[in-house]
Amino acid sequence: MTEFAGARVLVTGGAGFIGKRLVAALLDEKAEVVVADLRPHPDPAVRSIVGDLCDPAVRDTVVEHGIDGIVHLAAVTSVLRSVEDPVATHELNVEATAGLLELARVREVPRFVLASTNAVTGDVGSATISERLPLRPLTPYGATKAATEMLLSAYSAVYGMKAGALRFANVYGPGMRHKDSFVPRLMRAAAADAGVQVYGDGSQLRDYVHVDDVVQAILLAWRTGLAEPMIVGSGTSVSVNDLIDAARQVTGKPIPVTHVPAKQGEMPAVVLDISAARALGYQPLHDLASGMATVWPDFMASQGEGDAA
Ligand code: NAD
């Protein structure tokens, strides 16, 4: 038996990429899980409350009395969408989050784990990103996550809630077929015997973290009662060219590359200091080769399943 056995956990966005993997892990630990999402969790055995968290009545329903904590994943997750619609992004990422936090306080829910991002820190050139750097987000997406980190800080300080934010790196792994990030684009290109566009020469460094390592970090944050922001990455940065090579390896496809001019604001490097997470007991289990090997079989198995994959 673990501390999760019988624990009542609300997972917002639990039908999404990270959410589905987290829900599976929580069920393995014998937790009682409720998912709040715009769509039901694909496993009908998982209790889902379907609704828009921007609606106060939906929030009022999902934050049930007696729950042990909330893992808040639901968000506008696309940087591009946040640029196109900063108001809707604020409504969900900040206002709905503030509403959930307040309900958690009033209903004495002791834990709140927020999915944040290293985009809160902004462009630091080639410097290593740690939790100690000032927050200078460059997009509405990063700004809304930074704003909610501030709210969590206040709720931890004033009300003693264990409210911590995990700043995820680029997450990849099984179950991300519906996403538009670079790993699924590589998988789609391989499946279609097509190529991909790469901004610049592909030497820009990124930290790609496997979804199972992200789930490990969420469970750790819950267990330890994390009440501050913490960076969650693989701890090893690789170039976009390295990622393409790893995709070629696992798919056996050539995946030709067309280089296009780098977008304005494209960061030259994302190098993460994960020592705070390691000090708490976090140990990333996947490197790029082992992680990418989990993506292609899942992608092929879920071909044709559409967005519910
Ligand atoms: P996802 O898009 O796969 O899942 C998000 C889920 O939230 C979806 O199931 C969606 O239906 C739900 N949702 C969206 N709007 C909602 C609303 N108004 N009401 C109720 N539910 C709503 O995204 P993901 O990759 O699993 O990301 C989860 C969290 O992690 C997000 O907060 C995201 O910002 C954060 N994050 C993700 C990454 C990454 O690389 N995937 C990196 C950094 C941070």
Side-chain angles (χ1 to χ4, degrees):
M1 299 287 267
T2 72
E3 60 262 67
F4 289 99
R8 294 179 60 196
V9 187
L10 170 65
V11 182
T12 74
F17 163 46
I18 298 170
K20 279 184 289 184
R21 211 70 180 174
L22 173 66
V23 168
L26 286 167
L27 293 177
D28 281 349
E29 300 271 353
K30 308 284 181 242
E32 271 182 45
V33 180
V34 176
V35 164
D37 202 302
L38 288 173
R39 51 194 175 158
H41 188 280
D43 179 351
V46 174
R47 192 169 149 232
S48 294
I49 301 176
V50 176
D52 185 344
L53 289 165
C54 292
D55 178 349
V58 172
R59 295 197 295 269
D60 190 61
T61 306
V62 300
V63 182
E64 296 169 327
H65 287 277
I67 61 175
D68 294 296
I70 301 173
V71 181
H72 183 37
L73 303 175
V76 171
T77 63
S78 155
V79 170
L80 196 62
R81 194 175 148 218
S82 83
V83 172
E84 286 164 2
D85 196 344
V87 173
T89 305
H90 188 271
E91 202 190 344
L92 176 59
N93 291 13
V94 181
E95 289 169 30
T97 305
L100 287 170
L101 253 182
E102 177 57 9
L103 280 171
R105 176 182 80 82
V106 171
R107 296 182 183 169
E108 298 180 347
V109 178
R111 292 181 195 79
F112 195 102
V113 180
L114 171 77
S116 187
T117 165
N118 286 296
V120 294
T121 312
D123 190 351
V124 295
S126 299
T128 300
I129 298 174
S130 76
E131 293 84 354
R132 293 176 299 283
L133 292 185
L135 302 189
R136 292 205 184 95
L138 299 173
T139 62
Y141 173 68
T144 55
K145 294 289 186 176
T148 44
E149 284 196 9
M150 296 300 114
L151 288 174
L152 260 63
S153 174
Y155 273 68
S156 299
V158 180
Y159 307 116
M161 278 174 66
K162 302 295 182 200
L166 299 177
R167 295 181 186 163
F168 302 147
N170 287 309
V171 188
Y172 73 100
M176 67 182 317
R177 203 176 165 278
H178 63 288
K179 306 280 289 183
D180 187 37
S181 43
F182 197 55
V183 170
R185 261 191 266 159
L186 284 167
M187 297 296 116
R188 277 193 280 278
D193 287 316
V196 287
Q197 285 192 336
V198 170
Y199 295 119
D201 65 4
S203 65
Q204 60 272 43
L205 296 177
R206 298 287 179 264
D207 186 309
Y208 295 97
V209 63
H210 193 272
V211 67
D212 288 346
D213 289 327
V214 163
V215 167
Q216 180 202 148
I218 295 171
L219 298 185
L220 189 66
W222 177 286
R223 266 194 212 106
T224 56
L226 183 77
E228 54 193 33
M230 191 173 82
I231 292 172
V232 176
S234 71
T236 305
S237 291
V238 299
S239 71
V240 169
N241 291 330
D242 291 334
L243 181 69
I244 296 166
D245 281 341
R248 288 176 178 143
Q249 286 281 333
V250 296
T251 63
K253 299 292 180 80
I255 317 180
V257 163
T258 312
H259 293 279
V260 295
K263 279 189 303 186
Q264 206 182 3
E266 174 87 1
M267 307 220 333
V270 174
V271 181
L272 301 178
D273 174 357
I274 61 163
S275 56
R278 282 192 192 280
L280 217 58
Y282 169 69
Q283 284 185 312
L285 298 177
H286 279 290
D287 61 16
L288 193 61
S290 72
M292 287 294 281
T294 68
V295 179
W296 180 238
D298 170 77
F299 189 87
M300 293 309 281
S302 62
Q303 281 275 58
E305 280 179 24
D307 274 5

